[in-house]
Amino acid sequence: MPSVDARQLPGELQRLAECMQEPIRTPGAVQPHGALIAAERGTWRIVHASENTDTILGVEALTLLGRPLTDLVGPEAAESFSEVLDESTASANPVRLTFRNHPVDVILHALGDLVLVEFEPVQLTAEGSTPAVFGAIHRLTRATTVQELWDGTAIEMRRLTGFDRVMVYHFHPDAHGEVVAEQRADDMQPYLGLHYPASDIPAQARDLYLSKLSRVIANSDVEGSPLLTLADAPGGSTLDLSGAELRSVSPHHLQFMRNMGQASTMSFSLIQGDALIGMITCAHRTPRRTPFILRQGLEILANQVALQLGSMVEIERLTRMGKVRDIRTRLVARLDVVEDFVPALLHGPVTLLDLLPADGALLRLGETASSVGVVPPIDVLNGIAARILELSGTPTLVSDSLALDYPELATLLPAVAGLLIVPLGGDGDYLAWFRHEVGQTVRWLGDQSPANRLTTLSPRNTFAEWRQAVSGTAISWDGLDAEATELARDLEGVLLRRTESQLAELALHDALTGLPNRRMLMDRLDHALELYARGGEVSLLFIDLDSFKGVNDTWGHAAGDAVITHAARQIAAVSRAQDTVARIGGDEFVVLCENTTA
């Protein structure tokens, strides 16, 4: 399909720049459904505490600052905390404690010289258990296609969480997203297949989600509880909450949720290697929390989905690339058996357009440019080829939208939307493929025009499907530039072999007549003398043109060369095919005849 670039949306670049300024890792507050304490590692002296500890734990935050954590939880609990932080033990989060006769999950994270201690009141739910999570994982392993896996993930996650809506997101190369699977309550509007801009989940958020694999926003209608800090706290008043379960979120995002009708959300990262490729997001119309243990299980499910998805995508890629490489192999095999490989590349059983489907392709070698399909004027291409590769800054230029990526080139090549060009050798030769614009309509999650925002930086007011006609883009090259580069290397190898063969041939032949020269004659003579030594018959004729010097002196060297060439043809014409007719210099020729006495 054609590529979609959300950077074209009104105000998108400004929103992305503004998002980068938000302190999402250090918001200075936590979500108030739980409480957070930061204590010095070793002494357990409390140096940060959320203002709402009295609501969650029954103790005022100001009275906790400066005191050891053991005063709050007791020595035995502190010992359990140490075991969780010690990676050599089997202990793990959470530690279950009781405050004011209510169970609380305590979740611990090491943060340099500090320990973050989070307290989440236990909320019993009727949703999934650990066995249910592993049952869902087992069912998902039966998926045979990417879409089947996406759809199955949405089904299983909604079954396990009980949220009103579950969406699976996929990130595109320009960082905008698409809803690729969805499960929802019957009375909710569908979002399946809709795209959303990168500013909805900006770069710094995606970077955070690489390390924090799940996030919960329990109530979009409440403000965060501020952190109180001791004056001598290590690192000052700023506390990194990147790994915290209770990290507060920006007012901008809370407003975004409210505008979508979401009172609570829970999301999970889908990671391949070091890249965030997508997310699973659960949304509910009323405040809702999910127990920490279940969230941990769902993280495992999301990780399994990402691994399985990665395997499927890689198998699809390898299968596709295998077919392409088979075509390249067939192309290159023909080059070694044909005299002129340009027609073989452009008009044979398989061509450059079979390797990389496009509207046209062109091969430039030396001063000759040959093409197949529809290509821009050759004189225009030759004039800007060097500029094209200079603009790319890389050996290969590949673009699905010249208008966006290289406006200067789009002006020079108005009929071209997609361009892939690969240098061939170092003398200005190249291979190029061209694709025309493919119009499309993109379905967006909410009206992306300024009319649907209070300001450029405000969240969208509504999220009903909005359609946008997109122009200036071509079908994506989808990684085929690697095959184009490999073909260029293959062609360079063929050209090198032919050049070496030609040089070897020239070293044994006279440049004017094409006859064997003295070097080849001596080699053939050695062979003939070996034959003679075994009793064979050998004859050697020496031919010299009389008065040849006068031809050069009277008519010039061009005329002399014509006489020499004519004489060579005549001598060869009256000689046998197996005889060696050689020019050994000037006007002197030798005919070596084997198996004859005259």
Side-chain angles (χ1 to χ4, degrees):
M1 64 172 292
S3 58
V4 177
D5 197 318
R7 292 173 297 177
Q8 301 176 76
L9 296 174
E12 176 66 1
L13 296 180
Q14 184 181 353
R15 285 190 291 274
L16 286 170
E18 185 70 17
C19 289
M20 292 301 294
Q21 308 306 313
E22 286 191 286
I24 65 170
R25 293 178 180 271
T26 56
V30 298
Q31 296 182 61
H33 64 272
L36 181 142
I37 286 173
E40 291 176 329
R41 196 162 187 173
T43 67
W44 292 112
R45 184 176 73 119
I46 298 173
V47 293
H48 299 271
S50 59
E51 194 176 65
N52 66 333
T53 55
D54 59 332
T55 302
I56 305 299
L57 306 175
V59 183
E60 292 285 344
L62 286 175
T63 66
L64 288 172
L65 292 176
R67 293 169 56 192
L69 183 63
T70 50
D71 285 359
L72 176 66
V73 301
E76 186 175 339
E79 181 63 28
S80 297
F81 293 175
S82 296
E83 290 178 358
V84 170
L85 295 169
D86 184 352
E87 296 181 355
S88 66
T89 71
S91 298
N93 284 315
V95 175
R96 181 67 57 84
L97 298 180
T98 300
F99 289 90
R100 298 191 303 182
N101 297 319
H102 291 290
V104 173
D105 279 338
V106 184
I107 304 145
L108 301 109
H109 317 273
L111 181 66
D113 294 331
L114 299 178
V115 176
L116 296 186
V117 187
E118 300 183 82
F119 301 85
E120 285 191 22
V122 174
Q123 182 179 23
L124 299 179
T125 66
E127 277 68 53
S129 61
T130 299
V133 171
F134 286 107
I137 292 174
H138 178 70
R139 286 188 292 274
L140 288 174
T141 60
R142 301 171 187 166
T144 58
T145 67
V146 169
Q147 189 61 55
E148 187 178 342
L149 178 59
W150 280 335
D151 291 339
T153 299
I155 292 171
E156 297 293 350
M157 288 294 285
R158 186 156 188 247
R159 181 183 296 149
L160 289 166
T161 65
F163 275 68
D164 289 333
R165 186 196 301 268
V166 172
M167 293 178 288
V168 181
Y169 298 153
H170 164 67
F171 290 120
H172 287 266
D174 72 334
H176 91 275
E178 180 182 359
V179 181
V180 293
E182 178 186 47
Q183 286 290 306
R184 57 184 171 79
D186 293 339
D187 61 337
M188 301 180 77
Q189 68 183 70
Y191 293 154
L192 180 63
L194 302 187
H195 296 249
Y196 56 91
S199 57
D200 281 5
I201 308 176
Q204 63 165 342
R206 288 191 302 275
D207 183 60
L208 173 60
Y209 299 167
L210 286 171
S211 56
K212 186 68 179 73
L213 303 183
S214 64
R215 286 77 51 194
V216 169
I217 301 174
N219 191 340
S220 61
D221 283 327
V222 298
E223 296 182 359
S225 178
L227 293 176
L228 306 181
T229 307
L230 275 181
D232 64 343
S237 61
T238 300
L239 185 62
D240 186 351
L241 298 180
S242 299
E245 301 294 318
L246 297 171
R247 178 181 60 87
S248 184
V249 294
S250 73
H252 177 94
H253 186 70
L254 292 177
Q255 184 61 52
F256 182 95
M257 288 178 58
R258 291 192 291 269
N259 289 357
M260 286 195 77
Q262 298 174 345
S264 54
T265 60
M266 178 171 59
S267 60
F268 300 87
S269 303
L270 296 175
I271 298 173
Q272 286 179 7
D274 58 355
L276 183 72
I277 61 164
M279 287 172 48
I280 305 167
T281 293
C282 310
H284 208 64
R285 289 172 286 191
T286 59
R288 189 177 183 86
R289 290 196 294 116
T290 301
F292 176 77
I293 287 291
L294 179 55
R295 298 202 306 268
Q296 292 293 93
L298 296 177
E299 281 189 14
I300 295 172
L301 184 149
N303 183 60
Q304 170 63 31
V305 168
L307 292 173
Q308 194 172 341
L309 182 63
S311 297
M312 288 179 167
V313 170
E314 182 64 8
I315 289 171
E316 288 182 357
R317 186 190 71 82
L318 291 174
T319 301
R320 185 175 68 253
M321 289 298 103
K323 293 178 180 178
V324 172
R325 286 169 187 172
D326 177 63
I327 293 173
R328 179 164 59 83
T329 299
R330 292 169 61 192
L331 273 175
V332 175
R334 282 182 53 79
L335 303 185
D336 286 324
V337 298
V338 296
E339 184 68 25
D340 185 357
F341 63 66
V342 173
L345 287 172
L346 301 178
H347 308 293
V350 290
T351 71
L352 294 179
L353 295 184
D354 292 302
L355 182 69
L356 274 71
D359 295 295
L362 181 139
L363 167 63
R364 175 180 170 175
L365 285 176
E367 298 302 317
T368 303
S370 305
S371 64
V372 61
V374 181
V375 303
I378 302 297
D379 56 341
V380 173
L381 288 172
N382 287 341
I384 65 173
R387 179 61 177 153
I388 288 175
L389 296 175
E390 177 187 335
L391 280 171
S392 76
T394 60
T396 299
L397 182 145
V398 55
S399 173
D400 302 327
S401 176
L402 285 182
L404 277 176
D405 299 330
Y406 306 100
E408 177 184 330
L409 292 182
T411 301
L412 297 172
L413 302 172
V416 177
L419 174 63
L420 197 164
I421 184 166
V422 185
L424 194 57
D427 299 321
D429 295 336
Y430 59 86
L431 280 166
W433 287 263
F434 309 90
R435 285 178 175 172
H436 297 154
E437 170 186 293
V438 177
Q440 65 174 323
T441 298
V442 182
R443 300 164 56 224
W444 290 102
L445 179 60
D447 184 346
Q448 303 292 324
S449 70
N452 196 30
R453 300 178 189 270
L454 296 179
T455 70
T456 301
L457 302 178
S458 298
R460 299 187 292 287
N461 298 321
T462 62
F463 291 85
E465 178 180 327
W466 181 73
R467 294 175 179 253
Q468 178 194 34
V470 176
S471 60
T473 61
I475 293 174
S476 172
W477 296 106
D478 199 20
L480 289 175
D481 50 304
E483 291 302 317
T485 300
E486 288 300 317
L487 177 63
R489 291 175 181 164
D490 291 337
L491 291 180
E492 289 170 355
V494 171
L495 290 171
L496 178 60
R497 290 194 297 273
R498 293 194 175 193
T499 299
E500 291 173 345
S501 177
Q502 290 169 355
L503 290 175
E505 189 73 10
L506 288 174
L508 298 174
H509 288 79
D510 174 53
L512 178 60
T513 65
L515 294 176
N517 58 14
R518 182 186 297 272
R519 181 178 176 183
M520 180 178 281
L521 174 65
M522 297 306 295
D523 181 72
R524 297 281 178 85
L525 187 57
D526 287 342
H527 179 272
L529 291 176
E530 290 177 3
L531 176 65
Y532 179 76
R534 295 194 300 270
E537 300 293 339
V538 177
S539 299
L540 189 68
L541 305 180
F542 179 82
I543 302 171
D544 177 64
L545 302 184
D546 291 337
S547 305
F548 177 73
K549 183 176 182 301
V551 176
N552 278 335
D553 292 344
T554 304
W555 303 101
H557 287 282
D561 288 347
V563 170
I564 292 295
T565 302
H566 180 73
R569 285 199 297 267
Q570 291 297 106
I571 296 170
V574 299
S575 301
R576 299 178 306 172
Q578 65 266 35
D579 296 338
T580 298
V581 179
R583 182 188 179 206
I584 60 174
D587 59 352
E588 298 173 339
F589 297 85
V590 168
V591 180
L592 174 62
C593 307
E594 299 182 27
N595 298 316
T596 182
T597 57

